[in-house]
Amino acid sequence: MKHFCVGKTKLALSKIGIGGAAFKDHEDSKAAKQVIEFALKNGINYIDTSPWYIRSEEILGEVLHNISRSKYIISSKCGRFFSNDILEWFDFSYDKITESIDTSIKVLGCKYLDICFCHDIEFASSIEIILNEALPAMSKAKKAGKIKYIGISGYPLEKLKMIVDSSTVKIDVILSYCKYSLNDTELLDYMSWFEEKEIGVINASPFAMGLLTDSGPPSWHSAKPETKEAAKEATIFCANEGVPITRLALQFSTSNPRLPVTLVGCENVEQLKENLKVISEEPSQEDLVLTNTVREKFFRDNHSWEGIAEEKYWQKVKAEMEKVSSVYWKMQNATATRIP
């Protein structure tokens, strides 16, 4: 397994990393333990997680407990949190970011985070809270030795660029997902700028969050209907050619030397073994031709879903706020009618 340093960091990350979101619904750490142990034995040293991924940090904490800290590189995130209350999903305030970093380190039992990403910055109520609270809190944590490198993550690349350009806090790494895959290669349009700024870039989600798989995307996926239909047709086309679309997708996302590190979710060892097999082999001429055909035939148009998830989120927040306000005023009116 080859390892690469991204940007000006001194972290030698494996060509593929383990995306901890795959463990979010696991009831115990058995499958995750098998994945992590097999990964480490086969040269994969990079693991990513987040408080947003439900039980992922807790499960990884159980797995990593008996593994030497020098054997793995781990990143987690701050600013986005799992909760049944949508009003608690995002909090980029200074105090919450500080608390989140401390909690992640404690739950993971990892002493420090190699990278901490400010998670999905496009959902912040304003750019100012990222620049004036979240990043300064991360900078203080870095000075205290709690994190080695500061990163930001998100889907809209222009917003990531805007944060990097505006920040007085040095940003070391960005995590970009679903922007260098069979259906969307927009990340390449920004690479020269990030390289000029000496920002490390980690690619994630070569399967476009399930879009480029036989089972298709989950119900919550924000892709437009025409994108989902194009992906479905591409999947069937590949199957008829005798090649799973996942193989082409992983080959494509991990073959660009400008993007040497890619995060991939693996729910079990079987998936990991298949991924390792794919990246260990040079793509055949037939696979390369098929990849080009798929991209030309099904993904020539813009298949980004930028802005859709944010719009849905803010609509839900507005509805929840109106519901909370309605309950408040009903309680006030009920109290007022009881007063003689």
Side-chain angles (χ1 to χ4, degrees):
M1 176 70 65
K2 293 182 178 180
H3 295 75
F4 306 86
C5 292
V6 295
K8 299 297 285 185
T9 72
K10 296 180 180 179
L11 302 173
L13 304 174
S14 46
K15 181 181 176 72
I16 63 170
I18 301 298
F23 307 136
K24 62 186 176 65
D25 295 323
H26 287 203
E27 293 182 359
D28 57 50
S29 60
K30 183 179 178 181
K33 184 174 186 291
Q34 293 172 344
V35 168
I36 298 302
E37 289 181 348
F38 190 85
L40 292 174
K41 287 178 182 177
N42 286 273
I44 298 175
N45 66 349
Y46 178 34
I47 306 162
D48 175 73
T49 184
S50 169
W52 171 245
Y53 304 152
I54 312 179
R55 296 196 64 239
S56 178
E57 285 190 328
E58 180 185 344
I59 285 172
L60 285 170
E62 294 173 10
V63 173
L64 298 173
H65 179 70
N66 293 318
I67 297 174
S68 170
R69 185 63 181 85
S70 63
K71 298 293 184 182
Y72 62 89
I73 293 170
I74 192 159
S75 61
S76 192
K77 306 181 183 75
C78 58
R80 186 168 193 174
F81 308 94
F82 175 74
S83 172
N84 292 323
D85 183 353
I86 194 172
L87 300 181
E88 296 179 351
W89 282 10
F90 294 95
D91 189 342
F92 296 99
S93 65
Y94 187 99
D95 289 345
K96 186 62 177 180
I97 294 297
T98 301
E99 175 193 317
S100 176
I101 293 169
D102 289 343
T103 300
S104 290
I105 293 170
K106 181 179 179 181
V107 173
L108 289 165
C110 59
K111 299 180 183 177
Y112 59 88
L113 299 174
D114 292 287
I115 309 171
C116 183
F117 293 102
C118 195
H119 197 175
D120 288 346
I121 50 88
E122 67 267 30
F123 290 93
S125 56
S126 69
I127 187 175
E128 285 76 21
I129 195 168
I130 302 293
L131 297 174
N132 300 332
E133 296 201 42
L135 290 172
M138 295 170 76
S139 179
K140 184 177 180 180
K142 182 178 180 180
K143 290 173 183 175
K146 296 177 181 179
I147 60 179
K148 284 189 175 182
Y149 296 101
I150 294 172
I152 55 175
S153 76
Y155 184 64
L157 291 163
E158 190 61 30
K159 290 188 178 181
L160 293 176
K161 179 175 179 285
M162 185 188 306
I163 295 292
V164 171
D165 216 21
S166 305
S167 178
T168 57
V169 172
K170 176 175 170 49
I171 295 171
D172 304 295
V173 191
I174 70 147
L175 175 59
S176 171
Y177 64 94
C178 300
K179 286 294 187 178
Y180 188 71
S181 52
L182 287 177
N183 60 296
D184 188 346
T185 58
E186 187 188 11
L187 182 53
L188 293 183
D189 297 337
Y190 288 80
M191 282 305 297
S192 294
W193 191 87
F194 287 127
E195 289 164 351
E196 182 183 329
K197 296 288 184 180
E198 298 183 324
I199 305 291
V201 178
I202 295 173
N203 184 35
S205 198
F207 308 128
M209 298 192 300
L211 197 66
L212 304 173
T213 63
D214 290 339
S215 56
S219 59
W220 48 260
H221 203 292
S222 296
K224 294 174 287 188
E226 55 266 34
T227 297
K228 292 179 180 178
E229 183 59 29
K232 182 179 179 180
E233 291 177 2
T235 301
I236 294 170
F237 179 81
C238 290
N240 289 338
E241 294 293 322
V243 179
I245 196 169
T246 49
R247 186 169 94 194
L248 299 184
L250 188 58
Q251 284 177 347
F252 181 80
S253 290
T254 59
S255 63
N256 193 315
R258 296 175 77 184
L259 294 164
V261 178
T262 301
L263 282 168
V264 187
C266 302
E267 291 192 14
N268 51 59
V269 171
E270 287 68 31
Q271 286 183 0
L272 178 56
K273 287 180 178 178
E274 181 59 32
N275 291 342
L276 284 170
K277 182 175 184 294
V278 170
I279 69 164
S280 67
E281 300 171 347
E282 285 292 322
S284 66
Q285 188 60 36
E286 290 79 7
D287 281 356
L288 292 174
V289 170
L290 184 57
T291 295
N292 289 333
T293 301
V294 167
R295 296 194 64 233
E296 280 291 313
K297 186 177 179 68
F298 301 102
F299 300 123
R300 287 190 68 180
D301 297 329
N302 178 10
H303 284 285
S304 168
W305 50 88
E306 201 164 302
I308 295 175
E310 296 101 290
E311 183 179 354
K312 288 180 180 178
Y313 166 72
W314 287 112
Q315 286 175 349
K316 289 179 181 179
V317 167
K318 181 181 178 182
E320 187 64 21
M321 292 291 286
E322 288 174 350
K323 185 169 69 175
V324 170
S325 177
S326 175
V327 170
Y328 172 79
W329 286 112
K330 283 180 181 178
M331 292 176 64
Q332 289 294 308
N333 291 335
T335 303
T337 57
R338 288 198 299 268
I339 297 175

